[in-house]
């Protein structure tokens, strides 16, 4: 067996071959090699028990028959049979060294990881805010989780299409255009366009509430927009342009770059096939003037229909999303579509997917795999959705600015000797990274409590802790006058010996498992947990074993451990969307 990137998979294949030689495959022996609890070993195979049960054989004897076919593993692993037929594999120190030596840079890791998602074209629909409004804290999670997922998938070999499906077409534009024509404050627009649009929308809204003529006029503005009246179209497109420009400032801070921004309006001329397709296939029916799809087999959607055309003839969120599926399947060639959207929209997506599945079945075309990657709410310390003290939504812009400011305090306290400009630059990385990491380190499906105090801290599972670990390894190399990128001083390394060396090396070779767990489940927190543990093991190692010792072979292997820890921490953090630091 070779020491390829994904050792669990390689062991799996080796075991399948051994089973064939032992005459077990015909009857369906399926080895399942998984990362093991460190007390047992590095990996564990647990397909034997189930197979033995089916065959009414003694599992232990079966395991022994298998192990007798595994001589080729002897130079790499210590093998042991445990309990009723588990096979445990423990990497030998020389094999640990060989794996780490072979995976010495980002390219080697990427080459190893790229097999997992090869051949997939994944459209990721994330961030997707509505235009003419500020992005607030509710928009944080989709952007942060979506970007991490894009990076993880791309690293694992998928072709990723980042699509910002902005809400740029909706009934709000009637009131907004009404107010824009009458009350636009150009100075305010130049200062903060989204703020001005928000003010205009509110002004239009309250005017329409107070006065039925205004309401009528606003409705007419909307009708004119929908009929492509040049003036209204001009205002509308200006509002969207300016909004996207303002969003980009946030995206720049978060390191996000979309491949396409195909908002709802992009589908305006692509809705007919949806009505026709669903009506012709018999899935949609008229109900009280609207065109709707019922799902009789579903407990709720048998009475609560999916409305695809409102009774006034207008399209809605569902219509656009169906047209979007057609576009992503056709021109974008998606094999997978991921919707990174708040879990409060899960009914919408369940209905959307059900409808699309039935529709594509009737059309006989392959439907991409559609998944709603839901996430919970960001809560304040009071357990309610996070708001300002006066009960307003917190702007994302302000939240990030506060994170940077608080990080500046942290950095200045830790390293007051650094020049101010450098501390400011470090604070930007730590601040934004802290907000991203606090979000990503939680299982995305749960709500989480936003706590400045916990997230901007050098202790615990935080960005600052991990960025500091990275900076510390850089400083080790700086002191030795070595440059880590070049993997210096590693030649002549001997196999690991001390308990701390071995524990760190064993953690390092687990990186592929953490990556596979995060990418396979589309839950970045698995990678966060791994990085946190890795940084902890590095710390233990660094406190226990001196790196710059005189014996060249010992020094070389310890430098190798420093180098690989740095490589994996940096790679991992960047896959999560964070920026890294060489000094802190
Ligand atoms: N603009 C929507 C909102 O703010 C989110 C869109 C999510 N994507 C989608 N294809 N429905 O709620």
């Amino acid at each position: 067996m070779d020491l390829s990137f994904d050792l669990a998979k390689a062991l799996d294949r080796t075991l399948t071959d051994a089973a064939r030689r032992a005459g077990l495959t015909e009857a369906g022996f399926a080895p399942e090699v998984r990362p093991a609890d460190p007390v047992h070993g590095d990996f564990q195979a647990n397909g034997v028990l189930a197979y033995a049960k089916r065959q009414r054989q003694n599992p232990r004897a079966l395991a022994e028959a298998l192990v007798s076919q595994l001589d080729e593993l002897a130079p790499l692993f210590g093998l042991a049979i445990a309990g009723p037929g588990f096979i445990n594999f423990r990497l030998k120190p020389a094999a640990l060294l060989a794996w780490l030596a072979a995976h010495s840079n980002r390219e080697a890791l990427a080459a190893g990881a790229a097999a997992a998602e090869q051949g997939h074209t994944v459209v990721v629909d994330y961030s997707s805010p509505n235009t003419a409004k500020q992005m607030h804290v509710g928009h944080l999670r989709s952007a942060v989780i979506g970007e991490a997922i894009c990076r993880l998938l791309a690293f694992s070999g998928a072709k990723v299409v980042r699509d910002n499906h902005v809400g740029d077409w909706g009934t709000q534009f009637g009131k907004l255009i009404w107010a824009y024509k009458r009350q636009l404050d150009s100075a305010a627009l130049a200062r903060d366009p989204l703020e001005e649009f928000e003010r205009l929308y509110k002004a239009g809204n309250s005017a329409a509430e107070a006065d039925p003529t205004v309401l009528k006029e606003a409705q007419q503005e909307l009708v004119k927009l929908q009929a492509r009246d040049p003036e209204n179209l001009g205002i509308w497109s200006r509002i969207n342009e300016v909004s996207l420009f303002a969003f980009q400032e946030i995206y720049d801070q978060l390191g996000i770059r979309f491949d396409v921004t195909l908002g709802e309006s992009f589908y305006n001329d692509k809705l007919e096939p949806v009505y026709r397709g669903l009506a012709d296939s018999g899935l949609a029916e008229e109900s009280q003037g609207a065109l709707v799809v019922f799902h009789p087999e579903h407990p709720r959607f048998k009475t609560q229909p999916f409305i695809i055309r409102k009774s006034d003839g207008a399209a809605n969120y569902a219509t656009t999303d169906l047209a979007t599926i057609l576009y992503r399947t056709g021109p974008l060639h998606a094999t997978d579509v991921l919707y990174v959207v708040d879990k409060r929209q899960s009914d919408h997506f369940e209905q959307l997917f059900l409808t699309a599945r039935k529709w594509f079945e009737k059309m006989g075309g392959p439907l991409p795999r559609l998944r709603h990657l839901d996430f919970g709410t960001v809560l304040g310390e009071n357990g309610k959705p996070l708001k300002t003290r006066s009960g307003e939504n917190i702007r994302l812009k302000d939240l990030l600015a506060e994170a940077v400011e608080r990080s500046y305090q942290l950095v200045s306290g830790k390293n007051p000797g650094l020049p101010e400009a450098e501390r400011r630059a470090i604070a930007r990385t730590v601040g934004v990274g802290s907000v991203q990491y606090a979000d990503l380190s939680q299982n995305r499906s749960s709500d989480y409590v936003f706590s400045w105090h916990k997230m901007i801290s050098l202790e615990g599972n935080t960005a600052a802790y991990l960025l500091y670990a990275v900076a510390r390894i850089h400083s080790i190399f700086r002191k030795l006058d070595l440059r880590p990128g070049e993997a210096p001083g590693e030649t002549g390394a001997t196999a690991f010996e001390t308990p701390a060396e071995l524990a760190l090396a064993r953690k390092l070779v687990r990186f592929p498992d953490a990556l596979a767990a995060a990418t396979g489940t589309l839950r970045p927190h698995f990678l966060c947990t791994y990085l946190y543990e890795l940084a902890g093991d590095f710390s233990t190692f660094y406190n226990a074993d001196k790196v710059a010792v005189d014996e060249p072979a010992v020094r070389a292997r310890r430098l190798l451990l420093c180098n690989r820890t740095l490589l994996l921490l940096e790679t991992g953090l960047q896959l999560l969307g964070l920026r890294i630091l060489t000094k802190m």
Side-chain angles (χ1 to χ4, degrees):
M1 187 187 114
D2 59 342
L3 288 171
S4 56
F5 181 70
D6 193 330
L7 287 168
K9 277 225 181 74
L11 276 173
D12 232 88
R13 285 192 295 272
T14 309
L15 228 64
T16 307
D17 288 345
R20 188 167 357 97
R21 287 196 300 273
L24 305 181
T25 36
E26 274 86 309
F29 170 70
E32 239 189 288
V33 180
R34 297 223 192 103
D37 189 318
V39 292
H40 301 305
D42 295 306
F43 300 96
Q44 184 169 73
N46 49 11
V48 179
L49 197 59
Y51 176 78
K53 261 199 187 139
R54 284 201 303 277
Q55 298 293 307
R56 296 174 199 282
Q57 289 190 33
N58 177 337
R60 223 177 147 98
L62 260 179
E64 273 159 17
L66 259 178
V67 167
S68 73
Q69 297 287 337
L70 290 171
D71 285 349
E72 62 168 304
L73 292 184
L76 305 178
F77 293 92
L79 266 62
I81 298 173
F86 296 114
I87 307 174
N88 290 330
F89 304 86
R90 192 181 285 280
L91 275 159
K92 292 187 171 169
L96 285 167
L97 182 67
W99 191 94
L100 292 173
H103 296 92
S104 62
N105 54 37
R106 188 76 55 94
E107 291 69 39
L109 299 175
E117 299 286 332
Q118 209 105 64
H120 290 247
T121 299
V122 190
V123 173
V124 186
D125 179 325
Y126 69 114
S127 186
S128 309
N130 296 334
T131 56
K133 281 189 202 150
Q134 307 265 357
M135 284 173 84
H136 58 78
V137 61
H139 294 106
L140 176 69
R141 301 206 76 186
S142 176
V144 168
I145 297 167
E147 181 59 27
I149 279 170
C150 289
R151 291 181 185 209
L152 286 167
L153 286 169
F155 195 71
S156 297
K159 176 170 187 276
V160 174
V161 182
R162 292 160 159 90
D163 185 0
N164 193 5
H165 187 76
V166 288
D168 59 357
W169 192 261
T171 46
Q172 78 270 26
F173 281 101
K175 289 167 188 161
L176 190 50
I177 291 174
W178 182 91
Y180 189 100
K181 287 184 175 171
R182 291 161 180 80
Q183 302 179 11
L184 179 68
D185 174 346
S186 315
L189 185 71
R191 224 175 15 251
D192 188 336
L194 291 186
E195 179 118 30
E196 176 61 3
F197 294 151
E198 250 166 19
R199 186 190 69 79
L200 287 173
Y201 175 73
K202 281 185 199 144
N205 202 33
S206 43
E209 259 169 31
D211 181 349
T213 9
V214 174
L215 183 63
K216 264 244 145 54
E217 285 170 1
Q219 282 163 348
Q220 273 153 10
E221 298 292 4
L222 183 65
V223 171
K224 273 167 75 184
L225 174 67
Q226 287 164 341
R228 318 221 127 240
D229 165 80
E231 190 192 359
N232 282 12
L233 213 51
I235 295 173
W236 166 82
S237 79
R238 171 128 195 259
I239 291 173
N240 285 322
E241 215 171 280
V242 167
S243 301
L244 289 174
F245 191 80
F247 294 160
Q248 192 56 47
E249 261 173 49
I250 301 240
Y251 298 143
D252 286 345
Q253 288 194 68
L254 295 174
I256 297 176
R257 223 163 244 289
F258 289 98
D259 299 302
V260 290
T261 297
L262 301 177
E264 293 179 13
S265 69
F266 175 76
Y267 297 95
N268 278 349
D269 62 355
K270 301 176 180 59
L271 302 174
E272 243 346 274
V274 174
Y275 304 135
R276 210 178 336 108
L278 286 171
D280 290 353
S281 64
L283 287 169
E285 58 192 84
E286 294 270 345
S287 170
Q288 298 163 11
L291 194 62
V292 306
V293 179
F294 285 101
H295 294 290
E297 75 289 0
H298 193 282
R300 269 173 296 128
F301 310 146
K302 67 178 172 201
T303 49
Q304 176 192 319
F306 197 41
I307 303 173
I308 61 165
R309 189 175 58 209
K310 296 188 285 182
S311 52
D312 63 4
N316 65 5
Y317 195 49
T319 331
T320 331
D321 260 332
L322 285 161
T324 306
I325 292 179
L326 287 183
Y327 191 78
R328 288 173 178 167
T329 311
L332 296 185
H333 305 294
T335 57
D336 297 75
V337 184
L338 304 177
Y339 298 84
V340 188
V341 185
D342 195 307
K343 71 176 167 201
R344 280 172 292 193
Q345 293 195 26
S346 56
D347 265 11
H348 167 74
F349 286 108
E350 203 182 334
Q351 282 176 304
L352 176 68
F353 298 168
L354 263 178
T355 307
R357 229 167 270 142
K358 292 180 187 170
W359 183 20
F360 274 64
E361 220 164 81
K362 299 243 182 198
M363 288 196 295
L367 179 69
R369 184 168 181 206
L370 308 172
R371 276 176 286 176
H372 174 205
L373 304 192
D374 63 356
F375 52 81
T377 310
V378 183
L379 304 175
E381 314 246 16
N382 59 2
K384 300 215 177 84
L386 187 64
K387 300 265 169 165
T388 63
R389 248 183 237 137
S390 56
E392 311 258 324
N393 279 327
I394 299 177
R395 292 182 195 148
L396 209 40
K397 197 165 74 172
D398 299 341
L399 186 100
L400 292 175
E402 182 163 357
V404 171
E405 190 48 44
R406 286 175 181 259
S407 298
Y408 179 71
Q409 305 304 328
L410 180 92
V411 173
S412 299
K414 178 91 189 161
N415 209 342
L418 281 180
E420 145 121 31
E422 210 169 320
R423 277 181 281 142
R424 292 263 171 223
I426 293 172
R428 280 197 291 277
T429 299
V430 174
V432 175
S434 297
V435 173
Q436 292 170 299
Y437 193 85
D439 201 299
L440 293 167
S441 57
Q442 311 286 327
N443 187 334
R444 64 172 157 77
S445 301
S446 335
D447 298 345
Y448 76 91
V449 175
F450 190 96
S451 154
W452 285 123
H453 163 73
K454 278 196 193 129
M455 80 170 66
I456 301 184
S457 162
L458 285 158
E459 271 147 55
N461 188 8
T462 63
Y465 173 74
L466 291 173
L467 289 169
Y468 182 68
V470 166
R472 179 151 85 142
I473 303 176
H474 275 285
S475 96
I476 295 170
F477 283 102
R478 273 197 300 274
K479 281 192 193 123
L480 297 171
D481 212 12
L482 296 171
R483 263 178 300 171
E486 294 156 7
E490 294 182 1
T491 26
T494 44
F496 308 113
E497 280 176 22
T498 69
E501 286 173 351
L502 283 163
L504 176 57
R506 287 192 193 292
K507 182 69 75 185
L508 287 165
V509 305
R510 283 293 187 85
F511 177 73
D513 307 321
L515 188 67
T519 312
T521 61
L522 302 169
R523 293 186 190 275
H525 74 278
F526 286 115
L527 183 56
C528 297
T529 307
Y530 170 79
L531 296 176
Y532 177 55
E533 289 175 7
L534 176 60
D537 286 347
F538 180 81
S539 216
T540 309
F541 155 75
Y542 193 66
N543 292 334
D545 296 334
K546 189 169 181 304
V547 173
V549 290
D550 289 335
E551 303 99 293
V554 178
R555 177 184 152 112
R557 70 174 190 243
R558 292 186 183 162
L559 278 173
L560 186 142
L561 288 173
C562 294
N563 243 315
R564 294 307 178 276
T565 305
L566 184 62
L567 171 69
L568 296 189
L569 285 176
E570 289 188 344
T571 304
L573 287 170
Q574 286 175 335
L575 285 174
L576 293 169
L578 275 74
R579 292 189 178 88
I580 45 171
L581 292 166
T582 54
K583 234 189 224 179
M584 187 167 154

